[in-house]
Amino acid sequence: MAEALGFFQAWLKNPLRVAAIAPSSRSLANLITSEISHNTGPVIELGPGTGAFTRALIARGVRQEDLALIEFGSEFAAALHFHYPRARTLWMDAARLRAVDLFDGRAAGAVVSGLPLLSMPPRKVIAILTGAFRKMEPDGALYQFTYGPRCPVSLRLLDHLGLEAERIGGTLANLPPAAVYRIRRRHPIPFHFVRFSSRQHLPVE
């Protein structure tokens, strides 16, 4: 109850950043982490909030030492650092992800995102996705949930970045109901070989 109240208060302060009025359910946490295990390697979590997905990742065998928790909300970041002291918790904007070293040079096997991408401008979404895929193995995947009827990253934006998305499931046992998408490179080449500039022409939404 205290966790839900804290989440609701954070939503009241900044509804566009938090985007939901309640923490993600156990059903959604199980779905978004369903393809991840201790064999995945390091995992980056974007916008972990109260840690619903973090708990599910640890339950699936991911070590705290193999978790990087990227959280913009100072109240959430402080709580995450307290509850998961062996994970690397960074209080920062996920759009700056490419500028930090998370696992001493090791590439992550997956990224789990709880970020409200639909409420962000395309340029910021590009920065987040570019940073995430630069930190992952060539065959790594980003898992993103949404409350909408389709992938929160538009087809034009996916094409622009050489990515593809597939819906892996949905759950009604969440407030509101949610779906999860797996986003991968169309051609699994390391992202550091892909040239990208923030001045590139962006697709019109």
Side-chain angles (χ1 to χ4, degrees):
M1 180 64 70
E3 180 179 289
L5 178 60
F7 197 94
F8 182 65
Q9 290 172 336
W11 176 81
L12 287 175
K13 291 179 182 178
N14 196 332
L16 287 179
R17 175 172 65 81
V18 178
I21 63 172
S24 297
S25 68
R26 182 177 298 180
S27 175
L28 178 56
N30 287 337
L31 175 60
I32 202 169
T33 62
S34 61
E35 298 184 348
I36 298 174
S37 72
H38 68 280
N39 293 320
T40 302
V43 176
I44 301 168
E45 189 178 353
L46 306 179
T50 58
F53 299 164
T54 313
R55 291 189 291 273
L57 288 167
I58 292 172
R60 292 190 181 280
V62 180
R63 303 183 309 154
Q64 283 193 41
E65 292 85 351
D66 285 335
L67 284 172
L69 310 177
I70 312 300
E71 176 56 55
F72 187 75
S74 58
E75 67 280 14
F76 291 145
L80 290 164
H81 179 66
F82 176 79
H83 290 294
Y84 309 104
R86 298 194 304 279
R88 182 170 187 189
T89 301
L90 295 178
W91 174 28
M92 60 176 282
D93 189 333
R96 295 177 46 240
L97 185 60
R98 62 185 293 180
V100 297
D101 180 16
L102 299 178
F103 302 110
D104 297 323
R106 290 187 300 156
V111 173
V112 174
S113 173
L115 297 176
L117 297 185
L118 284 174
S119 66
M120 297 179 182
R123 195 172 297 275
K124 183 163 187 174
V125 175
I126 285 177
I128 291 169
L129 293 176
T130 302
F133 279 93
R134 282 181 181 272
K135 298 299 180 184
M136 273 195 288
E137 297 282 359
D139 60 349
L142 182 147
Y143 297 89
Q144 174 70 49
F145 83 90
T146 182
Y147 302 128
R150 59 181 62 87
C151 179
V153 183
S154 71
L155 182 57
R156 289 184 179 181
L157 214 55
L158 291 169
D159 287 343
H160 182 70
L161 294 174
L163 303 173
E164 60 185 5
E166 181 180 355
R167 187 181 187 273
I168 66 170
T171 176
L172 297 176
N174 193 75
L175 181 64
V180 172
Y181 286 82
R182 181 203 306 115
I183 301 175
R184 283 181 167 165
R185 299 175 177 91
R186 286 183 179 168
H187 305 288
I189 60 174
F191 232 60
H192 62 266
F193 289 128
V194 178
R195 291 176 178 265
F196 171 78
S197 169
S198 60
R199 295 183 180 179
Q200 283 181 308
H201 174 69
L202 300 182
V204 177
E205 293 297 319

